[in-house]
Amino acid sequence: MATGRTHRPATRSRGIPEATVARLPLYLRALTALSERSVPTVSSEELAAAAGVNSAKLRKDFSYLGSYGTRGVGYDVEYLVYQISRELGLTQDWPVVIVGIGNLGAALANYGGFASRGFRVAALIDADPAMAGKPVAGIPVQHSDDLEKIIEDNGVSIGVIATPAGAAQPVCDRLVAAGVTSILNFAPTVLSVPDGVDVRKVDLSIELQILAFHEQRKAGEEAAAAADGAGPVVAGRSDSADKGPDGDVPAVMPA
Amino acid sequence: MATGRTHRPATRSRGIPEATVARLPLYLRALTALSERSVPTVSSEELAAAAGVNSAKLRKDFSYLGSYGTRGVGYDVEYLVYQISRELGLTQDWPVVIVGIGNLGAALANYGGFASRGFRVAALIDADPAMAGKPVAGIPVQHSDDLEKIIEDNGVSIGVIATPAGAAQPVCDRLVAAGVTSILNFAPTVLSVPDGVDVRKVDLSIELQILAFHEQRKAGEEAAAAADGAGPVVAGRSDSADKGPDGDVPAVMPA
DNA sequence: ATGTCTTTGTGAACGCGTGCACAAAGATGG
DNA sequence: CCATCTTTGTGCACGCGTTCACAAAGACAT
């Protein structure tokens, strides 16, 4: 995840904790898989295992949405898919623009996970005139001069920034000025935005650095253990969800 | 950011909280920028602003590493860069393999943020025989038949999975069997790994879904406010780091 | 209808992370 | 050498998130 946060004020959205909101997409994916296999109902235990979380946590998460389960039976898969989709706002169409069509921007444009969740790539924007008109993922790239017009014409409220670091803040400012209120930032920069605009950050380098930290620690422990005459650790197989080198921490965050 | 977690057991690595570890790369980036401008020292207040965090939090984070500041002056930039780099394990070389050279894999191979932090792309691996030998980012793609040999020959301990969802778990199993102990997963799947292996997950679709949730909420509030006769909200500019629609939550997590 | 069994929904306790506010430490000037 | 000023390092309190453990609720069989 991106990185570095502060607990949000008292504005808890409609009583649903942020931690829960972040898990809903995870549940939704697991439920969608069950739905495709025509599984009618699922218990909290089963679904929790599929999503890689604690079953009590899952039940508490669902309790924030309402009482959608049946005691002694479990949850109705289709009904839950609908409720979560509605809660996340996925029942409506979200036009999205991607700014910065380099390798990453092109990869995002081609990413299939967007369309399947109600997200529609409305436009691809790049500052390089040579890119203009060139189709990427079947969509012609438009020049950034037209950014404002594109945003307004398509009613875009979500923007994805995949530009180099230096261009990110100016692009962000223009997106916000044009009406975008949610930004997913892949550029390695801290963006400054007005109140009311949400920013989530994904930083690939930071993720690797966190892994490196734990990798180094493991190497150190192993060496220490070897020095003690004891062998390396490593035990039984476990679901990665309930251990993790990092417990919680976001490499993707609001910022 | 990837998603869904559980607090790690009591194994707090060398006393450094996970939340702190996740912020160290952020500080490092800000410090590197200062270093390039030849700024000799920086106060916690200034650095915190650059990294988008609370200054007290920053000081407490640094206190876990030791007392590297000078009261009345601040922190020595170069020294702090070195200490954080060492703490994160970036002073050593980390060979990394990327498995799955589609759009995303290619984008990762070309990503400049890796090399600059001690990460070296040792090999690109893909299951498609047609890709074999074809250079991506100047590195010839190798066939997945040779995965185990590549891992061992290069002493790789960190693997990046950018395959389709279906291939992720088998690839993960082979990586782990070959000796990889840290995995960065871009495939939309919950990976199961043995104890001792760290997994971090980055899910682009989940990030957008979280944004959509808040976007929907904002739209609802605005409508409600309009119905009350009051105008939309939106106030002054603020640094996004200390508000956020999501406070904390990780879309990237251990799982 | 009644009893048993399964599974949900949640009260309560605990722990981590955050941020305030201040004392201690050092620099700097007279 | 002393006074003042800046900035660190941290004790403390607060709140969120997680987890346990159990009572309530419904299904199902008899």
Side-chain angles (χ1 to χ4, degrees), chain A residues 27-230:
Chain A
Y27 301 145
L28 184 56
R29 175 174 299 148
L31 285 165
T32 303
L34 291 172
S35 175
E36 284 169 0
R37 287 194 290 134
S38 300
V39 177
T41 61
V42 64
S43 71
S44 62
E45 207 70 48
E46 294 167 328
L47 186 55
V53 303
N54 180 294
S55 69
K57 193 190 295 186
L58 179 145
R59 288 197 298 275
K60 185 152 286 188
D61 283 342
F62 286 173
S63 77
Y64 292 117
L65 308 183
S67 288
Y68 295 149
T70 303
R71 295 170 193 236
V73 176
Y75 297 91
D76 183 277
V77 172
E78 295 300 333
Y79 188 57
L80 207 44
V81 164
Y82 171 72
Q83 289 299 340
I84 294 179
S85 294
R86 193 176 51 79
E87 199 67 50
L88 286 172
L90 305 182
T91 51
Q92 57 186 281
D93 177 69
W94 292 105
V96 171
V97 294
I98 301 175
V99 186
I101 314 302
N103 284 296
L104 181 58
L108 293 172
N110 280 290
Y111 183 55
F114 292 165
S116 65
R117 291 281 186 278
F119 299 102
R120 179 171 51 82
V121 178
L124 305 179
I125 302 176
D126 199 281
D128 181 3
M131 292 285 293
K134 186 181 151 195
V136 171
I139 303 169
V141 174
Q142 295 178 267
H143 191 266
S144 48
D145 283 351
D146 303 325
L147 187 146
E148 286 76 9
K149 179 168 167 48
I150 295 167
I151 301 290
E152 284 158 32
D153 289 355
N154 292 278
V156 173
S157 55
I158 300 179
V160 177
I161 296 178
T163 65
Q169 184 65 57
V171 164
C172 174
D173 291 342
R174 290 182 63 187
L175 287 173
V176 170
V180 166
T181 47
S182 287
I183 291 175
L184 182 53
N185 179 32
F186 286 89
T189 318
V190 176
L191 290 179
S192 176
V193 296
D195 280 352
V197 176
D198 293 335
V199 178
R200 292 190 70 87
K201 183 183 184 214
V202 178
D203 193 312
L204 313 175
S205 170
I206 285 181
E207 295 301 321
L208 274 186
Q209 290 176 58
I210 296 171
L211 283 177
F213 172 84
H214 294 289
E215 196 61 37
Q216 184 186 41
R217 184 174 60 80
K218 278 187 284 191
E221 281 178 358
E222 194 172 309
D228 283 355

Side-chain angles (χ1 to χ4, degrees), chain B residues 23-195:
Chain B
R23 280 188 294 266
L24 290 182
L26 212 55
Y27 300 144
L28 184 56
R29 175 174 299 149
L31 285 165
T32 303
L34 291 173
S35 174
E36 284 167 1
R37 289 195 289 135
S38 300
V39 176
T41 61
V42 65
S43 72
S44 63
E45 207 69 48
E46 294 167 328
L47 186 55
V53 303
N54 180 294
S55 68
K57 193 189 295 184
L58 179 144
R59 288 196 299 275
K60 186 155 288 188
D61 283 342
F62 286 173
S63 76
Y64 291 118
L65 309 183
S67 289
Y68 296 147
T70 305
R71 296 171 191 236
V73 177
Y75 299 90
D76 183 278
V77 173
E78 295 301 329
Y79 188 58
L80 206 45
V81 165
Y82 171 72
Q83 288 299 340
I84 294 179
S85 295
R86 193 176 51 79
E87 198 66 50
L88 286 172
L90 305 182
T91 51
Q92 57 185 282
D93 177 70
W94 292 106
V96 170
V97 295
I98 301 175
V99 186
I101 313 301
N103 284 297
L104 181 58
L108 294 171
N110 281 290
Y111 182 55
F114 291 166
S116 65
R117 290 281 186 278
F119 298 102
R120 179 171 52 84
V121 178
L124 305 179
I125 303 176
D126 199 280
D128 181 3
M131 293 284 294
K134 185 180 151 195
V136 171
I139 303 169
V141 175
Q142 295 178 266
H143 191 266
S144 50
D145 282 351
D146 302 324
L147 188 146
E148 286 78 8
K149 179 169 168 44
I150 296 167
I151 300 290
E152 285 158 31
D153 288 356
N154 292 278
V156 173
S157 55
I158 300 179
V160 177
I161 297 179
T163 66
Q169 185 64 56
V171 164
C172 174
D173 290 343
R174 290 182 63 188
L175 287 173
V176 170
V180 167
T181 47
S182 287
I183 290 176
L184 182 53
N185 180 32
F186 287 87
T189 319
V190 176
L191 291 180
S192 177
V193 296
D195 279 352

